[in-house]
């Protein structure tokens, strides 16, 4: 099936590892030139090298998505190297868990700034180019946590905010041929998750709560993102695709 992504250019934030890395690879396999970006320059370079070694087209650009100058440099580099930008995947984010009474200002700000402000800054930076070409795809990575998780007030709020941003921009930009959607992953086994000291316990609990009785992989999420970025989803906007194995609460 031709997804209509050959020759397109995609920026995937937080793509040195995990879901972002898998998404970048899937986009590359569809003929998209991919800009790998992460605050960790060495990890971003390694991820881009993995794609180019596989015969795909990719570059690495180090950027902090909470810094406007970094984001503007990121978009300018994509256009300079590949001649344009067509797809943005706002994936950068991380949890910093704790009950509210022990959550510091920095715990709140760090998570909300990367997840929500980062999505705002990167989307604002690419939007003039999307408007000029009257075509663009924004796919925001939310989380099942937008329903609310104890100990994750910062992360849940930020991921819920991403959904509000998604719906607002879908309404705002739709008349220009631009779609804005979100993917909300459930429990996904990334290297970062596997490194947790209580990984086996949380994995067992997640499987028991998931109707499909398995955990997700980064590739499960990447496949959903690529669909929403493709021509096959050209009449889909403002939606949230839950990729959770059927787990919602």
């Amino acid at each position: 099936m031709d997804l209509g992504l050959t020759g397109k250019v995609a920026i995937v934030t937080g793509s040195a590892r995990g879901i972002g890395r898998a998404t970048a690879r899937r986009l590359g396999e569809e003929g998209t030139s991919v800009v790998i970006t992460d605050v960790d320059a060495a990890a971003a370079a390694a991820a881009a090298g993995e794609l180019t070694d596989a015969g795909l087209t990719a570059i690495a650009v180090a950027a902090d998505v909470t810094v406007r100058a970094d984001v503007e440099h990121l978009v300018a580099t994509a256009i300079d190297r590949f001649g344009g930008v067509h797809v943005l995947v706002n994936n950068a984010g991380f949890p910093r868990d704790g009950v509210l009474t022990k959550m510091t200002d920095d715990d709140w700000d760090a998570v909300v700034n990367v997840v929500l402000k980062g999505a705002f800054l990167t989307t604002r930076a690419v939007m003039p180019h999307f408007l000029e070409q009257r075509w663009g795809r924004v796919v925001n990575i939310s989380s099942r946590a937008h329903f609310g998780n104890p100990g994750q007030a910062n992360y849940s709020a930020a991921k819920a905010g991403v959904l509000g941003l998604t719906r607002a921009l879908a309404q705002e930009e739709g008349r220009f041929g631009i779609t804005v959607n979100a993917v909300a992953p459930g429990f996904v086994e990334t290297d970062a998750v596997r490194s947790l000291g209580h990984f086996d316990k949380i994995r067992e609990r997640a499987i028991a709560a998931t109707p499909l009785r398995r955990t997700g992989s980064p590739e499960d999420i990447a496949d959903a993102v690529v669909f929403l970025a493709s021509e096959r989803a050209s009449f889909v906007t403002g939606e949230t695709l839950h990729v959770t194995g059927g787990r919602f609460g």
Side-chain angles (χ1 to χ4, degrees):
M1 179 185 293
D2 181 10
L3 297 181
L5 289 168
T6 300
K8 296 292 195 295
V9 179
I11 295 172
V12 184
T13 69
S15 47
R17 304 174 179 83
I19 290 170
R21 189 167 182 157
T23 298
R25 186 177 187 92
R26 285 284 197 262
L27 286 165
E29 290 168 348
E30 291 297 329
T32 304
S33 298
V34 182
V35 180
I36 301 280
T37 184
D38 199 277
V39 71
D40 185 336
E50 181 182 273
L51 266 61
T52 57
D53 288 347
L56 309 178
T57 303
I59 61 169
V61 180
D64 181 340
V65 295
T66 70
V67 178
R68 178 177 177 176
D70 278 18
V71 170
E72 291 175 348
H73 171 70
L74 167 66
V75 174
T77 301
I79 293 169
D80 181 62
R81 289 293 300 272
F82 296 128
V85 60
H86 307 91
V87 176
L88 170 65
V89 182
N90 284 312
N91 168 73
F94 58 87
R96 189 175 289 180
D97 298 349
V99 296
L100 185 65
T101 53
K102 295 183 179 180
M103 187 172 289
T104 66
D105 291 0
D106 184 60
D107 291 336
W108 178 274
D109 290 343
V111 172
V112 173
N113 283 347
V114 171
V115 172
L116 190 52
K117 183 180 180 181
F120 158 67
L121 288 176
T122 50
T123 306
R124 186 177 65 180
V126 301
M127 196 56 66
H129 307 285
F130 287 6
L131 292 169
E132 183 178 356
Q133 66 204 14
R134 300 187 74 83
W135 197 98
R137 299 284 187 266
V138 180
V139 184
N140 296 318
I141 304 301
S142 180
S143 168
R144 189 192 63 81
H146 77 83
F147 292 113
N149 280 340
Q152 288 193 314
N154 49 1
Y155 190 71
S156 293
K159 291 299 189 179
V162 164
L163 299 188
L165 178 67
T166 298
R167 289 188 289 268
L169 293 180
Q171 293 286 327
E172 184 176 312
E173 312 299 347
R175 65 188 184 276
F176 302 110
I178 298 162
T179 69
V180 186
N181 291 288
V183 173
F187 185 87
V188 176
E189 286 198 44
T190 62
D191 290 340
V193 170
R194 291 191 192 96
S195 70
L196 296 173
H198 56 304
F199 167 71
D200 289 338
K201 183 179 293 185
I202 61 175
R203 182 179 186 274
E204 181 180 347
R205 188 165 63 243
I207 291 173
T210 302
L212 288 183
R213 292 295 188 267
R214 72 171 178 87
T215 59
S217 70
E219 290 73 21
D220 288 324
I221 312 307
D223 287 339
V225 174
V226 172
F227 165 69
L228 290 173
S230 77
E231 287 284 14
R232 299 294 178 176
S234 63
F235 200 55
V236 180
T237 196
E239 294 294 340
T240 302
L241 177 54
H242 289 85
V243 186
T244 64
R247 182 184 180 193
F248 292 95

Short mmCIF file of all heavy atoms in Angstrom, two decimals, residues 145-174:
data_model
loop_
_atom_site.label_atom_id
_atom_site.label_comp_id
_atom_site.label_asym_id
_atom_site.label_seq_id
_atom_site.Cartn_x
_atom_site.Cartn_y
_atom_site.Cartn_z
N ALA A 145 -2.08 8.23 29.89
CA ALA A 145 -2.04 8.98 31.15
C ALA A 145 -2.90 10.24 31.10
O ALA A 145 -3.16 10.84 32.16
CB ALA A 145 -0.60 9.37 31.48
N HIS A 146 -3.37 10.64 29.92
CA HIS A 146 -4.23 11.84 29.88
C HIS A 146 -5.54 11.61 30.63
O HIS A 146 -6.22 12.56 31.01
CB HIS A 146 -4.50 12.26 28.43
CG HIS A 146 -5.51 11.44 27.69
ND1 HIS A 146 -6.87 11.66 27.80
CD2 HIS A 146 -5.37 10.41 26.81
CE1 HIS A 146 -7.52 10.80 27.03
NE2 HIS A 146 -6.63 10.03 26.41
N PHE A 147 -5.90 10.35 30.86
CA PHE A 147 -7.07 10.06 31.69
C PHE A 147 -6.80 10.37 33.16
O PHE A 147 -7.74 10.51 33.95
CB PHE A 147 -7.47 8.59 31.56
CG PHE A 147 -8.02 8.21 30.21
CD1 PHE A 147 -7.33 7.34 29.38
CD2 PHE A 147 -9.24 8.73 29.76
CE1 PHE A 147 -7.84 6.98 28.14
CE2 PHE A 147 -9.75 8.38 28.52
CZ PHE A 147 -9.05 7.50 27.70
N GLY A 148 -5.54 10.43 33.53
CA GLY A 148 -5.14 10.71 34.90
C GLY A 148 -4.55 9.49 35.58
O GLY A 148 -5.20 8.44 35.65
N ASN A 149 -3.32 9.61 36.04
CA ASN A 149 -2.65 8.54 36.79
C ASN A 149 -2.19 9.08 38.13
O ASN A 149 -1.61 10.18 38.18
CB ASN A 149 -1.42 8.03 36.03
CG ASN A 149 -1.76 7.06 34.93
OD1 ASN A 149 -2.83 6.47 34.92
ND2 ASN A 149 -0.85 6.91 33.98
N PRO A 150 -2.40 8.35 39.22
CA PRO A 150 -1.88 8.81 40.51
C PRO A 150 -0.36 8.87 40.46
O PRO A 150 0.30 8.00 39.89
CB PRO A 150 -2.38 7.73 41.49
CG PRO A 150 -2.64 6.53 40.64
CD PRO A 150 -3.08 7.05 39.31
N GLY A 151 0.19 9.92 41.05
CA GLY A 151 1.64 10.09 41.04
C GLY A 151 2.17 10.70 39.76
O GLY A 151 3.38 10.85 39.61
N GLN A 152 1.27 11.07 38.85
CA GLN A 152 1.70 11.65 37.58
C GLN A 152 0.89 12.91 37.25
O GLN A 152 0.49 13.11 36.10
CB GLN A 152 1.56 10.65 36.43
CG GLN A 152 2.58 9.53 36.46
CD GLN A 152 2.60 8.75 35.15
OE1 GLN A 152 1.57 8.38 34.60
NE2 GLN A 152 3.80 8.50 34.64
N ALA A 153 0.67 13.75 38.22
CA ALA A 153 -0.12 14.96 37.96
C ALA A 153 0.50 15.81 36.87
O ALA A 153 -0.20 16.35 36.01
CB ALA A 153 -0.26 15.77 39.25
N ASN A 154 1.83 15.94 36.89
CA ASN A 154 2.51 16.75 35.88
C ASN A 154 2.41 16.11 34.49
O ASN A 154 2.06 16.78 33.51
CB ASN A 154 3.97 16.98 36.27
CG ASN A 154 4.71 15.70 36.68
OD1 ASN A 154 4.15 14.60 36.66
ND2 ASN A 154 5.97 15.86 37.07
N TYR A 155 2.70 14.83 34.41
CA TYR A 155 2.70 14.12 33.13
C TYR A 155 1.29 14.01 32.56
O TYR A 155 1.05 14.25 31.37
CB TYR A 155 3.31 12.74 33.34
CG TYR A 155 3.61 11.96 32.08
CD1 TYR A 155 4.66 12.33 31.25
CD2 TYR A 155 2.87 10.82 31.75
CE1 TYR A 155 4.96 11.60 30.11
CE2 TYR A 155 3.16 10.09 30.61
CZ TYR A 155 4.21 10.48 29.79
OH TYR A 155 4.50 9.75 28.65
N SER A 156 0.33 13.67 33.42
CA SER A 156 -1.06 13.55 32.97
C SER A 156 -1.58 14.89 32.47
O SER A 156 -2.27 14.96 31.44
CB SER A 156 -1.94 13.02 34.10
OG SER A 156 -1.62 11.68 34.43
N ALA A 157 -1.28 15.96 33.19
CA ALA A 157 -1.73 17.29 32.78
C ALA A 157 -1.11 17.69 31.44
O ALA A 157 -1.78 18.24 30.57
CB ALA A 157 -1.39 18.31 33.85
N ALA A 158 0.18 17.42 31.30
CA ALA A 158 0.87 17.78 30.06
C ALA A 158 0.31 17.00 28.87
O ALA A 158 0.07 17.56 27.79
CB ALA A 158 2.36 17.54 30.20
N LYS A 159 0.09 15.70 29.07
CA LYS A 159 -0.41 14.88 27.97
C LYS A 159 -1.87 15.20 27.64
O LYS A 159 -2.28 15.11 26.48
CB LYS A 159 -0.25 13.40 28.32
CG LYS A 159 1.20 12.92 28.36
CD LYS A 159 1.89 13.09 27.02
CE LYS A 159 3.26 12.41 27.00
NZ LYS A 159 3.93 12.54 25.68
N ALA A 160 -2.66 15.60 28.63
CA ALA A 160 -4.01 16.06 28.36
C ALA A 160 -3.97 17.39 27.61
O ALA A 160 -4.77 17.64 26.70
CB ALA A 160 -4.79 16.21 29.66
N GLY A 161 -3.03 18.24 27.98
CA GLY A 161 -2.86 19.49 27.27
C GLY A 161 -2.52 19.30 25.80
O GLY A 161 -2.98 20.06 24.94
N VAL A 162 -1.74 18.28 25.51
CA VAL A 162 -1.40 17.96 24.12
C VAL A 162 -2.67 17.67 23.31
O VAL A 162 -2.77 18.05 22.14
CB VAL A 162 -0.42 16.77 24.07
CG1 VAL A 162 -0.35 16.17 22.68
CG2 VAL A 162 0.96 17.21 24.52
N LEU A 163 -3.65 17.02 23.93
CA LEU A 163 -4.89 16.72 23.22
C LEU A 163 -5.70 17.98 22.95
O LEU A 163 -6.31 18.13 21.89
CB LEU A 163 -5.73 15.71 24.01
CG LEU A 163 -5.07 14.35 24.26
CD1 LEU A 163 -6.08 13.39 24.87
CD2 LEU A 163 -4.49 13.76 22.98
N GLY A 164 -5.70 18.91 23.90
CA GLY A 164 -6.36 20.18 23.66
C GLY A 164 -5.69 20.96 22.54
O GLY A 164 -6.36 21.55 21.67
N LEU A 165 -4.37 20.96 22.53
CA LEU A 165 -3.61 21.60 21.45
C LEU A 165 -3.94 20.96 20.11
O LEU A 165 -4.14 21.65 19.10
CB LEU A 165 -2.11 21.48 21.75
CG LEU A 165 -1.15 22.06 20.71
CD1 LEU A 165 -1.27 23.57 20.65
CD2 LEU A 165 0.29 21.64 21.04
N THR A 166 -4.03 19.65 20.10
CA THR A 166 -4.34 18.91 18.87
C THR A 166 -5.68 19.33 18.30
O THR A 166 -5.80 19.65 17.10
CB THR A 166 -4.34 17.40 19.15
OG1 THR A 166 -3.04 17.00 19.59
CG2 THR A 166 -4.74 16.60 17.93
N ARG A 167 -6.70 19.35 19.14
CA ARG A 167 -8.04 19.68 18.65
C ARG A 167 -8.14 21.14 18.21
O ARG A 167 -8.78 21.46 17.20
CB ARG A 167 -9.07 19.36 19.73
CG ARG A 167 -9.26 17.86 19.96
CD ARG A 167 -10.42 17.57 20.88
NE ARG A 167 -10.13 17.94 22.25
CZ ARG A 167 -9.62 17.12 23.17
NH1 ARG A 167 -9.33 15.87 22.84
NH2 ARG A 167 -9.40 17.53 24.40
N ALA A 168 -7.50 22.04 18.95
CA ALA A 168 -7.54 23.46 18.59
C ALA A 168 -6.88 23.69 17.24
O ALA A 168 -7.42 24.41 16.37
CB ALA A 168 -6.86 24.30 19.67
N LEU A 169 -5.71 23.09 17.03
CA LEU A 169 -5.00 23.32 15.78
C LEU A 169 -5.66 22.61 14.60
O LEU A 169 -5.58 23.09 13.47
CB LEU A 169 -3.54 22.89 15.93
CG LEU A 169 -2.71 23.73 16.90
CD1 LEU A 169 -1.28 23.21 16.96
CD2 LEU A 169 -2.73 25.20 16.52
N ALA A 170 -6.31 21.48 14.86
CA ALA A 170 -7.05 20.81 13.78
C ALA A 170 -8.14 21.74 13.25
O ALA A 170 -8.36 21.85 12.03
CB ALA A 170 -7.66 19.50 14.29
N GLN A 171 -8.83 22.44 14.16
CA GLN A 171 -9.86 23.39 13.76
C GLN A 171 -9.26 24.59 13.04
O GLN A 171 -9.80 25.09 12.05
CB GLN A 171 -10.63 23.87 15.00
CG GLN A 171 -11.46 22.80 15.69
CD GLN A 171 -12.71 22.45 14.91
OE1 GLN A 171 -13.31 23.29 14.25
NE2 GLN A 171 -13.10 21.19 14.98
N GLU A 172 -8.14 25.05 13.53
CA GLU A 172 -7.51 26.26 13.02
C GLU A 172 -6.88 26.08 11.64
O GLU A 172 -6.97 26.96 10.78
CB GLU A 172 -6.44 26.71 14.03
CG GLU A 172 -5.75 28.01 13.71
CD GLU A 172 -4.78 28.39 14.83
OE1 GLU A 172 -5.19 28.34 16.02
OE2 GLU A 172 -3.63 28.74 14.51
N GLU A 173 -6.27 24.93 11.41
CA GLU A 173 -5.45 24.76 10.21
C GLU A 173 -6.06 23.86 9.15
O GLU A 173 -5.51 23.73 8.06
CB GLU A 173 -4.07 24.18 10.60
CG GLU A 173 -3.38 24.88 11.77
CD GLU A 173 -3.08 26.36 11.51
OE1 GLU A 173 -3.17 26.80 10.34
OE2 GLU A 173 -2.76 27.07 12.48
N GLY A 174 -7.20 23.26 9.43
CA GLY A 174 -7.78 22.31 8.49
C GLY A 174 -8.05 22.88 7.11
O GLY A 174 -7.86 22.21 6.09
#
